[in-house]
Amino acid sequence: MKGLHRLLCCLLAALLLTGCAAGTAEAEAEPDPEAETSSTQYLEAMDTFMFLTAYGSGRDDALEAAVAEIQRLEALFTVGSEDSEISQLNRSGTAVLSEDTAALLERSLEIYESTGGAFDITVYPLMELWGFTTQDYQVPTETEIQTALTLVGADRISWDSVTSTATLGEGQSVDLGGIAKGYTSQTVIDLFREMGVVSAMVSLGGNVQCLGCKPDGSPWRVGIQDPTGTEGSIVAVIEVEDQAVITSGSYERYFTDEATGKTYHHIIDPSTGYPAESGLCSVTVVTSDGTLGDALSTALFIMGLEDGTAYWQAHSDEFQAIFINTEGNLYVTQGLEDVVMADEGYTLLTQ
């Protein structure tokens, strides 16, 4: 029932999408008589509900190919299947990876280095310890957390790009869940583009990525969920074209300890072993690179507003962001000043 409600919330956000300005190339192209006709596919994969919408005469074939691609990538990346490449790597400690898994692992290591360890795929033992992988939630003891922390640190992964061989540190295991949906949305958008689709939107849980613009010529409008309000309520709307809008929030997965009444969310700080207490409850990253956006939404949440802003200032050519703190205040980076609408206003973050 919770999953169905989440899907309905995603659909509500999708209704906010309208269109975007067409470029010169599209304006000069032969008109497609079905350009304003859309088809949508719904599916459940990677532990979330997804829907994909494409416009134009080739939309149905593109959507069929996209669903097959999502299912193929899930089979490679998921830790929920013993046959996946990641599960095989975790089991044996070393593995030769296929092209997609290798690309995603390599990118994960790059972002780990760039964020000073805030994004770390070796946090998986901690996710297991807290029960977020099985929904058998528990509050671990300090001893258990400190023991699990000895297994955390992506700098201990050995990666041979020539042979595509990954070797984990002793006792380590990895989970690509913090970046896999972003890679998948980017792959689907690239697939749509290759198949001639010029207008599409994919929603993979908290990951929304748009191709081009809608046929009517106005920007896509993506709703940002209010993390302090009722589920599905919108706190801001952002207009985008050819970009991903990816959110990580403490409201997505959490449990309340019956003994103490304290709530614990799923975004684990790899430096402490506990759910991040950064003063934030939501981070949205806007970028043309869905893979980067997925990883950074987690990393910036863990960093907090001050360090996250400093990171953006050093990488503002790669992404923009919206931070929401636990008091519900919005902070928007300068590159989004003209495309974000929020009824309660926001604080602008500048260089």
Side-chain angles (χ1 to χ4, degrees):
M1 193 69 182
K2 183 178 179 181
L4 177 60
H5 184 58
R6 185 168 296 172
L7 174 60
L8 293 175
C9 291
C10 290
L11 290 172
L12 175 62
L15 291 175
L16 292 170
L17 306 176
T18 56
C20 74
T24 304
E26 286 76 17
E28 295 176 352
E30 188 70 23
D32 182 351
E34 296 187 67
E36 296 189 18
T37 303
S38 67
S39 295
T40 300
Q41 283 273 11
Y42 304 89
L43 70 154
E44 186 175 0
M46 299 183 178
D47 293 324
T48 193
F49 286 95
M50 305 179 175
F51 62 93
L52 324 173
T53 299
Y55 292 81
S57 56
R59 64 190 183 278
D60 291 328
D61 288 342
L63 286 170
E64 183 177 349
V67 170
E69 184 68 358
I70 290 171
Q71 293 170 339
R72 184 185 72 84
L73 293 175
E74 180 184 32
L76 292 175
F77 302 151
T78 182
V79 293
S81 168
E82 293 184 356
D83 297 328
S84 73
E85 286 193 2
I86 291 302
S87 291
Q88 292 173 33
L89 172 61
N90 288 341
R91 201 161 45 243
S92 64
T94 186
V96 177
L97 305 179
S98 65
E99 181 179 355
D100 288 292
T101 312
L104 194 50
L105 179 71
E106 190 167 17
R107 193 72 189 281
S108 297
L109 296 178
E110 291 171 356
I111 298 173
Y112 168 83
E113 183 71 24
S114 172
T115 60
F119 178 76
D120 192 336
I121 59 174
T122 66
V123 77
Y124 185 54
L126 287 163
M127 295 293 288
E128 287 187 302
L129 187 61
W130 284 88
F132 285 111
T133 58
T134 61
Q135 297 184 6
D136 185 16
Y137 303 119
Q138 65 166 347
V139 179
T141 66
E142 181 64 26
T143 299
E144 290 173 325
I145 289 175
Q146 292 304 317
T147 299
L149 278 172
T150 65
L151 304 177
V152 175
D155 54 337
R156 293 165 55 193
I157 299 175
S158 175
W159 170 245
D160 186 336
S161 60
V162 176
T163 62
S164 293
T165 301
T167 303
L168 305 181
E170 182 66 30
Q172 284 190 310
S173 55
V174 298
D175 181 5
L176 299 178
I179 192 171
K181 288 195 293 293
Y183 181 88
T184 301
S185 68
Q186 186 66 56
T187 301
V188 168
I189 291 295
D190 292 342
L191 175 64
F192 282 164
R193 191 176 283 113
E194 291 170 7
M195 297 187 68
V197 174
V198 296
S199 181
M201 181 273 294
V202 301
S203 176
L204 315 185
N207 296 43
V208 174
Q209 189 156 356
C210 304
L211 170 61
C213 49
K214 289 195 72 175
D216 66 3
S218 57
W220 297 92
R221 305 182 75 220
V222 180
I224 307 300
Q225 184 168 330
D226 183 354
T228 63
T230 57
E231 187 171 1
S233 60
I234 301 301
V235 70
V237 173
I238 179 170
E239 295 181 340
V240 295
E241 173 185 354
D242 266 331
Q243 287 181 306
V245 181
I246 298 176
T247 300
S248 289
S250 56
Y251 58 88
E252 295 175 318
R253 279 190 289 162
Y254 59 88
F255 72 94
T256 301
D257 180 27
E258 294 182 0
T260 65
K262 184 173 180 178
T263 297
Y264 298 90
H265 62 77
H266 75 291
I267 304 177
I268 303 296
D269 185 337
S271 68
T272 67
Y274 287 87
E277 295 185 355
S278 63
L280 298 176
C281 57
S282 173
V283 173
T284 297
V285 173
V286 182
T287 175
S288 59
D289 182 347
T291 308
L292 177 68
D294 200 6
L296 284 187
S297 65
T298 298
L300 296 175
F301 186 103
I302 291 168
M303 289 181 188
L305 179 61
E306 183 176 350
D307 290 345
T309 299
Y311 185 87
W312 163 73
Q313 289 170 333
H315 300 84
S316 59
D317 59 328
E318 299 178 45
F319 74 95
Q320 300 295 319
I322 301 171
F323 302 87
I324 305 179
N325 68 12
T326 52
E327 286 76 42
N329 300 314
L330 273 68
Y331 299 83
V332 176
T333 59
Q334 191 170 0
L336 299 177
E337 182 177 10
D338 296 330
V339 295
V340 170
M341 293 149 283
D343 289 341
E344 301 300 322
Y346 57 81
T347 298
L348 187 67
L349 302 173
T350 59
Q351 291 282 10

